Amino acid sequence: KAGVTQTPRYLIKTRGQQVTLSCSPISGHRSVSWYQQTPGQGLQFLFEYFSETQRNKGNFPGRFSGRQFSNSRSEMNVSTLELGDSALYLCASSLGRGEDTQYFGPGTRLTVL
Amino acid sequence: QKEVEQDPGPLSVPEGAIVSLNCTYSNSAFQYFMWYRQYSRKGPELLMYTYSSGNKEDGRFTAQVDKSSKYISLFIRDSQPSDSATYLCASTGGGNKLTFGTGTQLKVEL
């Protein structure tokens, strides 16, 4: 079974631009969660999508948004990029039943200049 | 104060040593506890998943949860150089919103 895939793996943007990251979950998984990982703050939950609906949300500004498609693939968008948005963005997929295992993708490394 | 606190290390041990990694948490609603391992430039990989207090063993790994003291531990027996990675503890009260510690960097030396 193929794992979670994320594209692109690396991205360089400049301040003020926007970016879209993509995540394809494991086949059969309906939940996709997004996390931001930085050296200072560690892994922080952004949001979770289940059956095309946002089911849970972390404490990030509205510049961070996401969506999920009918095939469970998910995209995350960051608008008006700031230097502090430089991070590894990870997505994780699970069946979405609640206390089930989340499987992480390799991440997208975003650098904002 | 972070809901999950973890000593960032780095921790360096000789091959074959027993490694003890620890976290504390403050949210009494946390019921599920996980340990993830993350190699450089990779996503986190689930090692152990436990519910409530007690011990769980899987090969060389033992996870321990003490809810009375809000303490989470991971023990690695007979540590190997391939165990060198960052270890992340995580908790949730239910659902997929995980709260992570900042991770402990472990190096197992030959």
Side-chain angles (χ1 to χ4, degrees):
Chain A
K1 199 182 240 187
V4 178
T5 58
Q6 292 186 245
T7 56
R9 291 293 311 279
Y10 302 92
L11 208 48
I12 298 175
K13 292 285 187 179
T14 55
R15 278 183 302 173
Q17 287 187 308
Q18 75 165 14
V19 67
T20 299
L21 312 181
S22 180
C23 173
S24 292
I26 292 171
S27 177
H29 285 190
R30 296 170 64 193
S31 168
V32 174
S33 297
W34 288 89
Y35 293 83
Q36 181 195 67
Q37 187 174 31
T38 58
Q41 297 298 316
L43 266 151
Q44 293 184 284
F45 176 81
L46 280 155
F47 31 64
E48 179 201 6
Y49 284 87
F50 177 79
S51 292
E52 302 178 65
T53 301
Q54 189 179 88
R55 185 159 74 171
N56 221 328
K57 190 177 187 306
N59 297 322
F60 278 82
R63 299 186 297 108
F64 292 83
S65 62
R67 60 178 176 168
Q68 187 179 33
F69 302 95
S70 58
N71 62 356
S72 295
R73 189 177 70 86
S74 178
E75 287 182 347
M76 190 193 98
N77 186 76
V78 188
S79 62
T80 319
L81 283 166
E82 300 177 0
L83 295 178
D85 296 334
S86 294
L88 180 67
Y89 290 89
L90 293 155
C91 81
S93 80
S94 73
L95 292 169
R97 294 177 303 197
E99 299 78 38
D100 55 352
T101 302
Q102 292 189 60
Y103 296 88
F104 281 83
T108 294
R109 172 77 59 186
L110 172 64
T111 301
V112 182
L113 302 176
Chain B
Q1 184 193 2
K2 287 182 175 291
E3 287 187 295
V4 178
E5 299 276 4
Q6 185 174 7
D7 186 338
L11 181 63
S12 183
V13 301
E15 183 180 9
I18 296 174
V19 177
S20 172
L21 302 167
N22 307 294
C23 290
T24 58
Y25 66 95
S26 58
N27 190 335
S28 299
F30 287 159
Q31 298 285 337
Y32 302 89
F33 306 93
M34 288 134 271
W35 283 94
Y36 283 85
R37 177 176 62 194
Q38 186 175 23
Y39 291 113
S40 181
R41 302 189 182 281
K42 301 279 188 182
E45 167 196 14
L46 182 68
L47 282 176
M48 302 290 282
Y49 187 114
T50 56
Y51 170 69
S52 199
S53 286
N55 292 358
K56 184 175 182 179
E57 190 174 319
D58 184 1
R60 296 185 296 112
F61 299 91
T62 299
Q64 195 172 75
V65 175
D66 182 346
K67 290 194 72 183
S68 63
S69 59
K70 297 188 173 65
Y71 204 79
I72 315 164
S73 299
L74 178 71
F75 300 96
I76 307 174
R77 289 185 299 280
D78 187 26
S79 56
Q80 304 294 310
S82 59
D83 294 328
S84 298
T86 296
Y87 289 79
L88 299 150
C89 61
S91 302
T92 178
N96 286 336
K97 181 181 178 179
L98 299 182
T99 301
F100 282 86
T102 49
T104 299
Q105 193 177 346
L106 171 67
K107 184 170 184 181
V108 181
E109 312 217 51
L110 287 167

